[in-house]
Amino acid sequence: MEAPTQPKGTSLMPRRPSTPLLASLVAVACLGAGGGAVAYATLSSGNTVVKQVTVHQSEPVASTASNLSVNAIYRRAYRGVVEITVRTGSGSAEGSGFVYDSDGHIVTNDHVVNGAQTISVQFWNGKTYDATLVGSDSSTDLAVIKVDAPSSQLYPVSLGRSADLQVGDSVVAIGSPFGLQETVTSGIVSALHRSIDSLNQNFRIIDAIQTDAAINHGNSGGPLLDANGSVIGVNAQIRSDSGGSDGIGFAIPSDTVRTIAGQLISTGQAKHAYLGIALSNSATQARVAQVNPGTPAASA
């Protein structure tokens, strides 16, 4: 797999800091993957930033349901959406996630829990439980955490098939932008098969879903739901000139989530096959333009 090259006008958006002031978000300008504070990664070519965002969970939906209203999707999903608060050496931050199974596993973004010293999860009814990290994968920006909560508290969200999506399909996001729990936004699938940056510079996240559903700081890690109420993506990044939602968001596809979450739950880690090279832009031939250090290609 070729090494990632940062596309013009994009960068990663971190989790939301645990603070009520929007102004404090705009003031930060550091990479937020490893610390407690949320940050913007500003491009050298301009002011455009892509920010990672956090969202809540949802509960399973009948596979026979179709073309549900936004209200119906919310009512089916909201009990499975959670708010995640992490504490690190530099402070605290908030994100979102969703209940993955009845064992208490919760899916979120890696950048939400990266560097966390403690993790807590708040459910739809206000009940809060401590969580432990099961495993994370910076190459896909996915992580699984686990809570020891009673079964009556757990409403797993069913995963849909992102491969079945079509441009123009309706989608709904549920999360905690700026700490506003149970916020619902809706839109459509704007594009498919986008390629976005990962936290691991040896990889790019492929087949990302582009959507115009409004997602902001605090939405990261939460679900993007289809018209049946199934999770078809995990909201992870937005592209913006203003620092807020400009209607260009990206979600990690559910087919990737299914594979990575299964590995993390089984072994605590995810494995990927890759080379660690970048190819030149040539219309006539493929030429190696760069070999990333510490990769199989560098060893070879």
Side-chain angles (χ1 to χ4, degrees), residues 100-188:
Y100 184 75
D101 59 27
S102 58
D103 291 329
H105 292 111
I106 291 171
V107 170
T108 185
N109 283 137
D110 176 44
H111 77 262
V112 170
V113 297
N114 189 283
Q117 295 176 349
T118 63
I119 307 171
S120 63
V121 172
Q122 182 172 320
F123 288 86
W124 62 278
N125 55 6
K127 292 187 176 180
T128 302
Y129 298 86
D130 291 335
T132 57
L133 179 64
V134 174
S136 61
D137 180 41
S138 60
S139 297
T140 56
D141 194 16
L142 292 172
V144 175
I145 60 177
K146 186 175 182 180
V147 295
D148 185 14
S151 58
S152 59
Q153 189 68 55
L154 302 172
Y155 292 85
V157 184
S158 61
L159 283 181
R161 280 177 44 85
S162 54
D164 294 337
L165 285 176
Q166 298 183 32
V167 173
D169 284 352
S170 297
V171 291
V172 170
I174 306 176
S176 301
F178 307 114
L180 300 172
Q181 263 189 303
E182 307 298 337
T183 294
V184 179
T185 56
S186 64
I188 62 169

Side-chain angles (χ1 to χ4, degrees), residues 78-300:
Y78 76 99
R79 287 180 294 178
V81 177
V82 301
E83 183 174 35
I84 298 172
T85 300
V86 301
R87 303 200 185 286
T88 70
S90 58
S92 62
E94 297 170 344
S96 300
F98 62 91
V99 179
Y100 184 75
D101 59 27
S102 58
D103 291 329
H105 292 111
I106 291 171
V107 170
T108 185
N109 283 137
D110 176 44
H111 77 262
V112 170
V113 297
N114 189 283
Q117 295 176 349
T118 63
I119 307 171
S120 63
V121 172
Q122 182 172 320
F123 288 86
W124 62 278
N125 55 6
K127 292 187 176 180
T128 302
Y129 298 86
D130 291 335
T132 57
L133 179 64
V134 174
S136 61
D137 180 41
S138 60
S139 297
T140 56
D141 194 16
L142 292 172
V144 175
I145 60 177
K146 186 175 182 180
V147 295
D148 185 14
S151 58
S152 59
Q153 189 68 55
L154 302 172
Y155 292 85
V157 184
S158 61
L159 283 181
R161 280 177 44 85
S162 54
D164 294 337
L165 285 176
Q166 298 183 32
V167 173
D169 284 352
S170 297
V171 291
V172 170
I174 306 176
S176 301
F178 307 114
L180 300 172
Q181 263 189 303
E182 307 298 337
T183 294
V184 179
T185 56
S186 64
I188 62 169
V189 174
S190 302
L192 295 167
H193 312 302
R194 295 301 197 198
S195 180
I196 59 177
D197 288 324
S198 71
L199 302 182
N200 183 333
Q201 292 304 301
N202 290 326
F203 288 91
R204 287 184 60 75
I205 302 170
I206 61 173
D207 285 335
I209 302 162
Q210 182 180 330
T211 180
D212 66 350
I215 50 179
N216 288 283
H217 292 286
N219 281 119
S220 286
L224 187 68
L225 306 162
D226 64 13
N228 296 328
S230 297
V231 176
I232 45 80
V234 174
N235 296 317
Q237 299 182 14
I238 68 173
R239 177 169 179 164
S240 175
D241 289 325
S242 65
S245 174
D246 286 348
I248 302 178
F250 300 96
I252 300 162
S254 59
D255 290 349
T256 299
V257 175
R258 183 178 289 104
T259 299
I260 299 302
Q263 291 185 48
L264 294 178
I265 291 171
S266 297
T267 67
Q269 60 183 347
K271 294 184 177 180
H272 303 275
Y274 73 103
L275 286 176
I277 62 172
L279 300 179
S280 62
N281 256 339
S282 173
T284 59
Q285 58 186 325
R287 303 187 64 179
V288 175
Q290 177 183 327
V291 177
N292 288 355
T295 64
S299 299

